[in-house]
Amino acid sequence: MVARVAVGRAPVAREVRAAESLADALRAPVTARAPWLTAVLNEDAARRTLARPVAVVVDGSGDGPPRAAAFLSLRRRAARTVVSVLGQELLPLPGGRPPARLLARDDDAAGQLADGVLGLLGAQHGPWSLRLSGLPLGDPTVRALAARLPTSVTANARSTRLVDALDDIGPVERGCDPRLLERWLPELLAAVPQRRQRAFVRAAARLHAAIGRLEVAVVADGDRLRAGLLTLVDGEDRWPWWGIAGEGGLRTEMGAPVVTLSGAGWRRPG
């Protein structure tokens, strides 16, 4: 089966929604699921960025979910096309574990997905560079791509995890109520360093709060915020994302390794 390619915000958004049951079956992280990727697509559209979202999809049988899908971003830099995982440039990302996934039901689907990604690269005019970051160890599509791109490089790095220690500095108010988020969101956003990052944190936090996938935790003296933390929630899993605190309250520690696959090539005209 040949992978197909969808380009543009609306077509990619449809493919993201169609692949949600596959992401669920593969226990993909919140940052590789439909709500998060929808926030990424909306933010790129609002900024009218030059990056183009792309979905590479290996269809399933009949009306079933796809067997594999990769959601990517193509950005033209001078004469070069840079291909990355959709959303991996929108910081801050939660740390401590791989935030990205190349969804593949099995090794065969991963091989077909890798062929589809190579076809996408081969369709670009002039030089291209591939940088797929934030992936887990043992990703079958990364393995298939590395085998098909002899000059590619696979690198591992240790991630950093944010640790919730707010209980150490005072009484903590915690909850998933969107009203709690709205009360403290302006002060939490004030600590986000860049305007684009603030816009994304605002949109993603509100979207995940609306569907019950965001916990807000604050330590406050009346109306003054001493410390706060946004945590992504998926069932029993809690993944600290973004927070502010003075001394204590939040700390970091070593997390799981993450993988980056890098490669480059050139398509000659004609």
Side-chain angles (χ1 to χ4, degrees):
M1 184 177 294
V2 178
R4 57 182 177 83
V5 175
V7 182
R9 177 184 173 275
V12 171
R14 286 194 294 269
E15 300 297 345
V16 165
R17 292 192 295 269
E20 183 65 3
S21 60
L22 175 61
D24 186 55
L26 296 174
R27 300 185 62 81
V30 174
T31 47
R33 306 292 291 270
W36 186 276
L37 294 179
T38 298
V40 171
L41 292 168
N42 291 342
E43 172 60 20
D44 282 347
R47 294 180 57 252
R48 298 183 180 180
T49 175
L50 296 178
R52 290 180 296 154
V54 174
V56 181
V57 181
V58 178
D59 286 319
S61 58
D63 296 330
R67 297 180 60 236
F71 303 110
L72 307 173
S73 177
L74 273 61
R75 184 183 299 273
R76 197 76 175 172
R77 292 179 177 169
R80 180 178 298 274
T81 301
V82 180
V83 183
S84 58
V85 178
L86 181 65
Q88 290 304 289
E89 295 181 355
L90 269 176
L91 302 175
L93 284 165
R97 65 181 82 168
R101 286 294 187 279
L102 303 175
L103 305 173
R105 188 170 297 281
D106 50 40
D107 286 346
D108 182 57
Q112 294 172 11
L113 183 60
D115 289 336
V117 173
L118 291 180
L120 174 68
L121 296 174
Q124 306 308 308
H125 294 284
W128 52 262
S129 60
L130 178 71
R131 182 175 174 81
L132 305 181
S133 59
L135 296 165
L137 286 173
D139 185 290
T141 307
V142 169
R143 188 166 59 243
L145 280 169
R148 289 160 170 77
L149 287 170
T151 59
S152 64
V153 175
T154 303
N156 302 335
R158 181 70 69 172
S159 64
T160 301
R161 177 169 53 225
L162 188 63
V163 178
D164 180 354
L166 294 180
D167 291 304
D168 294 344
I169 62 173
V172 182
E173 181 180 6
R174 299 180 187 272
C176 296
D177 190 331
R179 291 173 295 183
L180 182 61
L181 172 68
E182 292 302 324
R183 179 182 177 187
W184 297 109
L185 186 58
E187 292 185 66
L188 289 166
L189 289 176
V192 181
Q194 297 182 14
R195 182 173 64 179
R196 183 190 180 193
Q197 294 175 355
R198 287 194 294 273
F200 177 71
V201 171
R202 181 188 297 110
R206 284 174 169 166
L207 177 57
H208 286 77
I211 60 175
R213 288 191 174 183
L214 184 81
E215 179 194 86
V216 182
V218 296
V219 179
D221 292 331
D223 292 331
R224 184 178 69 87
L225 183 68
R226 292 177 53 202
L229 176 65
L230 302 178
T231 297
L232 297 169
V233 178
D234 185 12
E236 297 298 320
D237 182 53
R238 299 176 71 259
W239 192 3
W241 170 26
W242 171 257
I244 56 174
E247 186 174 350
L250 298 175
R251 65 177 189 275
T252 58
E253 62 184 27
M254 293 182 65
V258 294
V259 172
T260 297
L261 174 72
S262 302
W266 173 277
R267 182 199 177 194
R268 298 184 180 278

